[in-house]
């Protein structure tokens, strides 16, 4: 995908189902999905709110816009700002608070 910040043909993926506060809506675009669903990469956008996050497969993210805070159930805090790269291992659990709409490119395996 060329120029992910300029993509406008995103698909509405709905509200995060595990909301704690607010109503974070997601949208995105899948760039590639493995034949058996074992991998996926794409663009993901999420509006402000707070929700419980459970990462079910390894995920690498490069955040392009926005601000959010991930707090692992152990208490570890990951502050996300534009141009932050982060890796979330399978079964990572915690809370995500989106302060300003975030846009990221991701790879799940």
């Amino acid at each position: 995908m060329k120029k992910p910040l300029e993509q406008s043909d995103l698909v509405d993926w709905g509200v995060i189902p595990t909301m704690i506060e607010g109503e974070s809506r997601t949208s995105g675009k899948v760039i590639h999905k493995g034949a058996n669903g074992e991998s996926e990469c794409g663009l993901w956008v999420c509006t402000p709110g707070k929700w419980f996050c459970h990462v079910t497969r390894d995920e690498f993210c490069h955040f392009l816009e926005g601000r959010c805070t991930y707090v692992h159930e152990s208490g570890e805090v990951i502050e996300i700002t534009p141009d932050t790269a982060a890796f979330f291992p399978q079964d990572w659990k915690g809370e995500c608070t989106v302060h300003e709409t975030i846009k990221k490119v991701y790879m799940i395996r």
Side-chain angles (χ1 to χ4, degrees), residues 26-96:
T26 62
S27 59
K29 183 175 188 175
V30 175
I31 299 168
H32 173 79
K33 193 166 195 128
N36 300 316
E38 72 283 353
S39 64
E40 177 180 311
C41 61
L43 175 67
W44 187 76
V45 178
C46 183
T47 63
K50 181 177 184 178
W51 38 276
F52 176 75
C53 180
H54 177 202
V55 179
T56 57
R57 295 184 287 162
D58 289 344
E59 182 175 356
F60 172 79
C61 309
H62 182 199
F63 292 84
L64 306 171
E65 287 184 340
R67 288 185 324 102
C68 67
T69 305
Y70 285 90
V71 180
H72 187 267
E73 57 190 4
S74 70
E76 174 195 12
V77 176
I78 302 168
E79 291 291 348
I80 303 294
T81 56
D83 203 26
T84 298
F87 175 74
F88 297 92
Q90 181 177 354
D91 287 327
W92 187 100
K93 292 179 184 174
E95 292 180 356
C96 176

